[in-house]
Amino acid sequence: MNWVNPAFFVAFAALTGVATAALARRRGRRIVPWFVFGALAWFVAIPWLFLTRSRLPEGQAVSSGMMPLAIVALCGAAVLVRVDFSARRAMLPPNCDTYLGVTDLKDFVAQSPAGKASGLEMKTLTDIKEVSRSATELNCTAIAHMNTAAAVPIAYRFTLKDGQRVIEAHWQ
């Protein structure tokens, strides 16, 4: 989730607060404190409401319209998160030795024809250097230590193409 975007944060907090308040009302509890609790910590508040027992005051009936409201609000929050993830653009790694970049490189080596044919896997990288960087490309070199006990020079590149991050690697 993109917590940096204030509009996303406010909308997500409002939807989770409404869902929590609706569930609380259905359980006979006050709405306002549960709205605030749900907006700030929905992942605690909603299970708490489902897993604890509460009794409605004498003579008060269960609010029938609150469960559909809670379901609609939770679905709205889920849709908001999905839209946020799909709207994000791919980014280059900040540098050559970031965890996600190295993980992508390990996957690339394992899924390469040589990796599949011989079970080749990259265990670690050492001597990592950034060769060049632009807005859409990051070129790097390193020494790859393979599961075959070989240490081979590897040149790899992250590029952005059509909103996707692509990795290319060449080793001897």
Side-chain angles (χ1 to χ4, degrees):
M1 289 182 277
N2 188 359
W3 295 108
V4 177
N5 184 348
F8 170 80
F9 179 75
V10 168
F12 185 79
L15 287 169
T16 57
V18 166
T20 306
L23 288 173
R25 182 69 184 134
R26 180 163 167 65
R27 301 292 301 251
R29 297 185 178 177
R30 295 180 46 190
I31 291 176
V32 174
W34 282 96
F35 174 83
V36 173
F37 188 27
L40 298 176
W42 63 271
F43 49 89
V44 173
I46 291 175
W48 183 285
L49 286 169
F50 277 117
L51 299 174
T52 59
R53 291 186 177 202
S54 61
R55 295 186 182 150
L56 294 172
E58 194 66 38
Q60 182 179 353
V62 173
S63 302
S64 61
M66 291 296 134
M67 190 56 104
L69 176 62
I71 291 170
V72 167
L74 285 174
C75 288
V79 166
L80 184 65
V81 169
R82 176 71 179 129
V83 166
D84 182 56
F85 277 125
S86 64
R88 290 186 189 192
R89 294 180 5 173
M91 296 173 25
L92 291 175
N95 53 38
C96 293
D97 63 349
T98 61
Y99 174 77
L100 292 176
V102 171
T103 302
D104 286 348
L105 182 60
K106 286 181 179 183
D107 292 342
F108 178 84
V109 170
Q111 297 301 317
S112 69
K116 286 182 179 180
S118 63
L120 187 65
E121 291 180 16
M122 186 178 74
K123 294 298 184 183
T124 60
L125 285 178
T126 57
D127 198 28
I128 301 169
K129 294 185 177 100
E130 182 175 313
V131 177
S132 66
R133 174 186 281 277
S134 70
T136 59
E137 188 174 298
L138 173 62
N139 290 301
C140 307
T141 61
I143 302 296
H145 299 274
M146 305 296 192
N147 61 340
T148 60
V152 296
I154 187 168
Y156 56 103
R157 172 172 68 174
F158 298 99
T159 57
L160 297 177
K161 293 181 183 175
D162 300 324
Q164 300 277 332
R165 184 173 71 195
V166 179
I167 188 167
E168 299 172 29
H170 303 283
W171 64 92
Q172 285 85 25

